[in-house]
Amino acid sequence: KQWYQRRVRVKITWLCDIWSTVWNVTPYFSVFLVLVLSVVRTISLINPFRNVNHKVVLAIIFAYLFYLIARIVGPQIMKKSYNDYDHDYKAHIYCGISLYELDGLYHYQIASNVLQLTAPVIPIVVSCVIS
């Protein structure tokens, strides 16, 4: 690699850490927010005079956000994953998280990703049917 590529790599490591965390948390968090909205809406439709405790809903949302961030940052702290800047994309900055594939954590992450994107479909569909 060229000397300037090595210098860029050192300077943007923190940017890759932040970017890849946001990039990996956003899709799961947005699906979760739709799930929470659907559940709260279904409760309001079924029992319109029942007040939804906003503090509990916010606590659940922040707990899930903390879980997502810990799931991304935790393996990096344990040195089981790393962020990398790909120099092949010369016109774009591409930062991604790479897990060491031989570790059991890799299989947990894949299963967790699939579950987090498919499990919310059931309550969301039920909410659509009820409304």
Side-chain angles (χ1 to χ4, degrees):
K1 294 194 176 194
Q2 302 291 334
W3 65 272
Y4 62 86
Q5 289 176 332
R6 285 181 292 200
R7 185 180 304 178
V8 169
R9 184 182 190 113
V10 171
K11 287 186 178 181
I12 66 164
T13 302
W14 64 272
L15 177 65
C16 277
D17 291 342
I18 294 169
W19 175 256
S20 62
T21 301
V22 169
W23 184 257
N24 286 292
V25 164
T26 301
Y28 302 107
F29 192 61
S30 60
V31 169
F32 182 75
L33 289 177
V34 171
L35 171 69
V36 170
L37 178 67
S38 297
V39 168
V40 169
R41 185 170 185 269
T42 303
I43 291 170
S44 297
L45 287 172
I46 292 174
N47 193 356
F49 298 109
R50 180 177 180 183
N51 288 333
V52 176
N53 190 344
H54 297 287
K55 290 181 182 178
V56 172
V57 172
L58 286 175
I60 291 170
I61 289 172
F62 282 116
Y64 185 71
L65 182 62
F66 177 77
Y67 162 74
L68 285 176
I69 293 172
R71 193 174 69 92
I72 300 296
V73 175
Q76 294 173 6
I77 292 171
M78 295 184 307
K79 305 293 185 205
K80 303 228 179 229
S81 71
Y82 59 93
N83 289 320
D84 195 18
Y85 171 72
D86 193 348
H87 291 286
D88 293 334
Y89 294 96
K90 302 225 184 292
H92 307 287
I93 295 177
Y94 174 74
C95 300
I97 294 178
S98 299
L99 288 167
Y100 296 115
E101 293 188 17
L102 299 177
D103 198 342
L105 182 62
Y106 176 78
H107 300 292
Y108 165 75
Q109 292 280 21
I110 297 297
S112 178
N113 291 346
V114 170
L115 185 63
Q116 289 179 68
L117 292 177
T118 56
V121 171
I122 297 169
I124 291 171
V125 169
V126 167
S127 174
C128 290
V129 169
I130 288 176
S131 60

